[in-house]
Amino acid sequence: PARAVRAGTYNIKVTTGLGTNETSAMKLIITTPAPEVNTVTPAYGSRMDDRTLALTGNNFYGGTLTSQVTDVSLVSGNKTVALADYTVTSNTGITGIIVPAGQSAGTYDVLVSTLDGGANVTSAVKYRVLPAPAVSAVSPASGFNNVKTTVILKGTGFYGGGSLPDVTQVKLDDANNTALAGVSVSSDTSLSAVIPKGLGVGSYNLLVKTGMGVNVASGNKFEITSLAPVITGISPNHAGIVRAVT
């Protein structure tokens, strides 16, 4: 049969000079395989923002010459997220798929349904919704406000789901949201930064911002204290009893 014929069950009709039969004792059954999803680009995103995906795979035309896609969705366990916006560009490609913000962090299969081929049950590449970075520990946990202090932050998500550092800012949650200088990301779970001098006394969370968002608190706060005044000398250091020292 021609490639443009949809899946289904068909009578075979024969036309002669005496006419055409309406049915045939034996039917022609045409089937089409389920769609396949082989790549998902990009393969991860933040729950904070919409994300636009593109898929490559097979059987999106369902054996015909036009799109037979009826649904594109994300599935994780019992949760299904229908994706309303997409464009089927060919039998092997779908673009413009919008994943709306606010999805739960996790790993999802990308499923494509067609009119006659059903849906794939899994995708070769998964789509991951990543959480914001987390800061589990700050070391040292305190410092004086008359000197700069280099701190080490331990946590997760400093690469933002990729293979390279994705940190765009590290700051304190003080009144001025003070940004830290000298940020150096050594791994997905560790970075260093410099807390400036001259800040107000108090305890502050360390907040790390990446493309996946920003944490709302750190595992422990950094406490800024002030040194008590220290007298190291008096000049003059003696005086007579007949006049005051000024």
Side-chain angles (χ1 to χ4, degrees):
R3 182 175 181 271
V5 177
R6 283 185 54 186
T9 301
Y10 298 89
N11 289 298
I12 305 299
K13 295 186 177 183
V14 178
T15 300
T16 69
L18 299 179
T20 303
N21 61 302
E22 292 298 324
T23 63
S24 57
M26 299 293 293
K27 311 296 184 183
L28 174 65
I29 300 175
I30 297 176
T31 60
T32 186
E36 300 173 2
V37 175
N38 299 324
T39 69
V40 180
T41 306
Y44 62 87
S46 167
R47 66 183 308 273
M48 307 296 293
D49 306 296
D50 292 352
R51 195 74 153 176
T52 302
L53 309 183
L55 308 181
T56 63
N58 206 357
N59 301 322
F60 299 152
Y61 278 9
T64 72
L65 298 177
T66 58
S67 170
Q68 300 295 301
V69 174
T70 59
D71 178 75
V72 179
S73 59
L74 300 179
V75 176
S76 179
N78 295 324
K79 180 178 180 179
T80 299
V81 181
L83 307 178
D85 296 313
Y86 57 85
T87 300
V88 182
T89 58
S90 70
N91 186 53
T92 59
I94 304 177
T95 62
I97 304 166
I98 305 297
V99 179
Q103 305 307 318
S104 301
T107 301
Y108 295 80
D109 283 297
V110 183
L111 305 189
V112 176
S113 300
T114 59
L115 282 170
D116 302 312
N120 54 307
V121 296
T122 186
S123 54
V125 175
K126 315 299 182 184
Y127 179 73
R128 293 180 297 151
V129 178
L130 300 178
V135 176
S136 57
V138 180
S139 179
S142 63
F144 296 114
N145 64 354
N146 67 327
V147 293
K148 297 178 181 180
T149 303
T150 298
V151 291
I152 304 296
L153 277 58
K154 298 294 185 181
T156 58
F158 300 158
Y159 278 11
S163 59
L164 296 172
D166 190 42
V167 174
T168 57
Q169 185 185 56
V170 180
K171 66 180 182 179
L172 300 175
D173 66 348
D174 61 343
N176 296 318
N177 288 316
T178 301
L180 307 191
V183 176
S184 177
V185 182
S186 56
S187 71
D188 186 57
T189 60
S190 181
L191 66 81
S192 62
V194 179
I195 296 176
K197 63 181 179 179
L199 300 179
V201 172
S203 295
Y204 304 105
N205 288 294
L206 274 294
L207 307 183
V208 176
K209 183 179 181 180
T210 71
M212 299 300 108
V214 60
N215 58 303
V216 297
S218 51
N220 62 286
K221 296 183 177 183
F222 183 80
E223 184 176 1
I224 297 176
T225 59
S226 178
L227 283 171
V230 176
I231 299 174
T232 59
I234 300 175
S235 179
N237 60 4
H238 63 279
I241 61 174
V242 296
R243 61 187 179 90
V245 177
T246 59

